[in-house]
Amino acid sequence: MAAPESGDGNNGAARMVTLISSDNTRFEVEAAAASLSQTLQLTILDGGGGGGDGIPLPNVDSATLSKVLEYCIKHAPAAANGGAPNATAVDRAELERFDNEFVNIDQSVLYSLIMAAHNLEIEGLQSLVAKKVADMIKGKSPMEIRRTLGFPDPTPEEQAEMNAHMLEYGWAYE
Amino acid sequence: MAGTRRAPERRRSFLIDLPEEILSEILLLLPPKYILRCGAVCKALCNVASDHAFLLAHHRRQPPRRLFSFVRDVGDYPDDLGLVDYCVEAVDLRIHDFRSIVRFTAGDYDCLEGNSPFAIHAACDGLLLMSFKRLLYLCNPTTRQWVSILRPALRHNTVMGLYAHGSSSEYRVLYCRHNHGKPLFFISTVGSEIERGIPLRSARAQGAKRATAAAMAESSRAAVRHAGLEIPEDLMADILARMPATSILRFRAACKCWHHRTKDPAFLLTHHLCQPAQPLFCSRLNVKDQDAFRMGHYCCLELEAVDLPPRMVVRFKGIESIQFNLLAVHGSCDGLLLLSNLDAHFVCNPATRQWARLPRLPPPHACRIAGFYAHAASGKYRGSLPTQRP
């Protein structure tokens, strides 16, 4: 994993922190990347997570955590620059491409990603996954929404309710 | 329990497992049409999508649209039916696009001769209180739903406002009607048809004009009381901080809770920081009080701040005209000025035009003020005096 930022200049190398997932896998990442999480930021500022300690994250499993960290590492340089001023259009387009591909995932992974983003309070990731789910709903009929989001087929009474609703707001289905 | 009884192949959507606040965050990103569709998808989504707080939050995220009300035949009825579709349209300033908000169909053309049969009386939380041919309706342009409202009857009443009643989350209409030249104010809850009069405080032995003023003040106080409950404290402070000082001072008279709120030092500081910076420029003789000036009793001194055009900041009245040379500004902090004239020091607040004389200070010619600052812990302001060298 490339580290283009030289960090705060401690011994010339970026400061690393260790995160421990719920199934006891250890992940070592740059402090700048982990600090995208509001939850971790304070601990890291206090000097936690360094050396052999590690920060335990009992709510996040290793598969999800590696996915989350992939996002953090990609977005950390842009966040460190404060976003706009230095970022070229190419950089931004590249991030956008990455984001689009990043959320192109299985629904169970998406679910754990949503929960992890909220637990760790990573603002960018939160809005990214929320937008993904919103896009899955947009432009579809109720039946399609049910299928896309993995609902079981409706029971007869559910179907009746659905029809009644569609009758009430007919224009919304034009 | 239900899960264990179900067949294993019967899947569950991950949406159902999401906490409600995350679900509502996702739904907030959807256009209104799909929020409505979500209502048909399943119970859990329907519950979130029809929650009052959620709908209000969703409404606030929508771009503002200016309402234009005019009559336009938008229907395609055959001419011999004599039907016209009237519509109210909103213009979206960002895309220069008209959007139809409400439509009515009626059977005659008389409105085209002049007066529009439409009137929009009030709006609140994205709902419109409007009338068509003197019949009142409450419309929700987003869901295209409407209810007919029987009270107030427009023939006798004038609508003053529509507001959300905080504790009951009902919508209420404030209106007035004239009774032997005196205005009477009433409130009715949308959908209930019951009207409640607002008693006037001081209608006794006063001219009709005074009574009107009192009634207006009373009713606006009532509206404010309700409206104040609805808007969160911090949002309210945010709005007030953007208003000019004179409006803030006027608000204090409107109701008690606003009075307290606008007197809070933290708020005043925020408000001051929102104001444009005014470098102090000069003091000069003001000749507005010409009578007093001619009589030789006193003159007025004004301190002006540079802002185009110049604004009066402080006014002093002195016994002798020579005193204006001795008006001096020693320091400023949070919009307060520390001033002195010939015989005393003053702290002035130019925004509220209030001032206080500083006690227990040596006279201005005998000391020099080094600084003026806010003492954080006590919230008091302090001036620092250097050791004096005569």
Side-chain angles (χ1 to χ4, degrees):
Chain A
M1 288 171 198
E5 287 291 304
S6 63
D8 45 12
N10 278 349
N11 308 327
R15 194 185 140 205
M16 304 298 279
V17 290
T18 307
L19 307 176
I20 305 167
S21 69
S22 61
D23 41 5
N24 271 327
T25 315
R26 301 172 74 90
F27 291 85
E28 207 184 357
V29 283
E30 283 176 30
S35 293
L36 287 191
S37 153
Q38 302 279 317
T39 319
L40 296 179
Q41 202 175 39
L42 277 182
T43 319
I44 292 171
L45 278 181
D46 281 350
D53 297 350
I55 305 169
L57 302 172
N59 293 326
V60 190
D61 62 40
S62 61
T64 313
L65 187 56
S66 74
K67 191 87 181 138
V68 169
L69 291 178
E70 189 190 330
Y71 174 89
C72 289
I73 289 165
K74 190 79 185 173
H75 279 260
N81 287 340
N86 295 344
T88 62
V90 180
D91 285 344
R92 258 176 280 142
E94 158 66 15
L95 269 189
E96 210 168 287
R97 193 197 57 78
F98 169 84
D99 282 353
N100 284 338
E101 217 154 87
F102 184 78
V103 288
N104 201 359
I105 43 176
D106 191 61
Q107 285 187 17
S108 59
V109 185
L110 186 60
Y111 171 74
S112 35
L113 208 54
I114 294 173
M115 296 310 287
H118 277 265
N119 282 330
L120 296 171
E121 289 178 58
I122 304 168
E123 218 174 284
L125 188 56
Q126 274 172 310
S127 50
L128 180 65
V129 288
K131 202 172 151 292
K132 166 73 180 170
V133 180
D135 286 343
M136 289 164 77
I137 297 173
K138 247 183 247 178
K140 294 195 170 74
S141 73
M143 255 334 257
E144 286 168 332
I145 296 173
R146 287 186 72 107
R147 286 207 193 98
T148 318
L149 295 175
F151 283 89
D153 287 338
T155 58
E157 61 261 35
E158 278 175 329
Q159 185 68 55
E161 271 173 35
M162 225 153 133
N163 291 344
H165 192 278
M166 286 169 77
L167 211 61
E168 191 181 350
Y169 299 103
W171 67 272
Y173 300 95
E174 284 161 9
Chain B
M1 289 291 160
T4 51
R5 258 191 285 122
R6 279 183 182 166
E9 71 265 23
R10 204 172 156 79
R11 292 184 298 152
R12 256 169 85 88
S13 168
F14 73 96
L15 270 194
I16 307 299
D17 297 326
L18 287 177
E20 223 162 80
E21 83 244 25
I22 300 181
L23 202 52
S24 73
E25 253 170 60
I26 291 170
L27 295 187
L28 277 180
L29 300 173
L30 291 171
K33 205 175 180 176
Y34 299 106
I35 303 259
L36 286 174
R37 286 193 192 181
C38 278
V41 171
C42 78
K43 271 246 167 65
L45 277 185
C46 184
N47 287 343
V48 174
S50 56
D51 177 53
H52 187 77
F54 167 79
L55 290 174
L56 215 51
H58 184 265
H59 167 64
R60 299 213 164 111
R61 286 177 65 107
Q62 303 307 305
R65 297 198 184 86
R66 309 272 155 170
L67 274 183
F68 267 84
S69 93
F70 52 86
V71 182
R72 195 158 76 107
D73 184 3
V74 290
D76 45 4
Y77 294 102
D79 280 347
D80 53 337
L81 274 179
L83 291 175
V84 178
D85 257 353
Y86 303 105
C87 97
V88 174
E89 294 190 320
V91 62
D92 191 329
L93 293 175
R94 286 190 298 191
I95 51 174
H96 304 287
D97 198 18
F98 281 98
R99 268 177 41 127
S100 158
I101 296 293
V102 190
R103 277 193 193 188
F104 284 79
T105 305
D108 48 30
Y109 284 90
D110 61 345
C111 60
L112 294 176
E113 287 162 10
N115 290 340
S116 162
F118 276 122
I120 295 178
H121 300 277
C124 174
D125 298 341
L127 303 176
L128 289 178
L129 186 64
M130 55 186 305
S131 63
F132 179 71
K133 298 192 168 193
R134 295 198 157 256
L135 295 175
L136 204 56
Y137 301 93
L138 186 69
C139 300
N140 184 341
T142 311
T143 58
R144 308 197 185 176
Q145 288 171 311
W146 55 272
V147 286
S148 181
I149 295 179
L150 298 179
R151 272 183 197 279
L154 291 178
R155 203 169 295 280
H156 312 290
N157 303 308
T158 313
V159 173
M160 312 285 294
L162 170 74
Y163 60 90
H165 184 248
S167 48
S168 65
S169 71
E170 293 166 340
Y171 287 95
R172 297 190 174 180
V173 187
L174 176 73
Y175 55 97
C176 92
R177 72 167 158 262
H178 288 267
N179 187 14
H180 303 299
K182 275 189 204 162
L184 298 173
F185 289 83
F186 298 91
I187 292 171
S188 88
T189 301
V190 170
S192 79
E193 294 182 40
I194 301 164
E195 71 177 8
R196 192 159 55 84
I198 303 176
L200 297 186
R201 209 186 257 166
S202 55
R204 187 170 47 96
Q206 283 175 336
K209 224 172 175 181
R210 283 284 290 282
T212 314
M216 295 283 273
E218 181 76 18
S219 61
S220 75
R221 262 182 227 126
V224 159
R225 197 151 51 230
H226 297 304
L229 282 173
E230 186 58 31
I231 304 175
E233 190 104 345
D234 48 343
L235 196 66
M236 198 66 222
D238 213 33
I239 295 168
L240 289 177
R242 281 165 177 73
M243 296 191 157
T246 45
S247 306
I248 302 273
L249 293 175
R250 267 183 228 145
F251 270 130
R252 283 191 188 165
C255 84
K256 216 171 193 172
C257 69
W258 286 21
H259 182 89
H260 288 311
R261 210 173 286 169
T262 52
K263 273 209 154 174
D264 177 35
F267 166 76
L268 288 175
L269 205 55
T270 323
H271 179 261
H272 169 63
L273 294 177
C274 285
Q275 302 305 305
Q278 291 181 337
L280 275 181
F281 184 45
C282 65
S283 63
R284 72 168 193 194
L285 191 65
N286 177 41
V287 287
K288 273 179 197 158
D289 281 332
Q290 280 187 345
D291 287 343
F293 188 58
R294 253 187 248 121
M295 309 254 300
H297 292 319
Y298 55 85
C299 69
C300 285
L301 304 175
E302 279 192 353
L303 196 61
E304 292 194 329
V306 173
D307 185 15
L308 297 172
R311 263 175 34 131
M312 196 267 280
V313 171
V314 192
R315 179 185 282 189
F316 267 94
K317 285 178 182 169
I319 304 296
E320 290 170 44
S321 60
I322 194 164
Q323 275 185 336
F324 85 90
N325 289 326
L326 296 166
L327 188 62
V329 180
H330 299 287
S332 77
C333 175
D334 297 343
L336 302 176
L337 292 176
L338 184 61
L339 302 161
S340 70
N341 68 357
L342 194 60
D343 43 34
H345 288 94
F346 300 91
V347 173
C348 290
N349 184 342
T352 60
R353 309 201 183 171
Q354 289 171 310
W355 58 273
R357 194 185 165 121
L358 290 182
R360 291 195 299 272
L361 264 188
H365 58 84
C367 73
R368 216 166 58 83
I369 304 280
F372 179 47
Y373 62 94
H375 186 246
S378 65
K380 286 176 181 161
Y381 289 93
R382 297 188 173 180
S384 72
L385 291 164
T387 43
Q388 183 207 340
R389 283 193 199 107

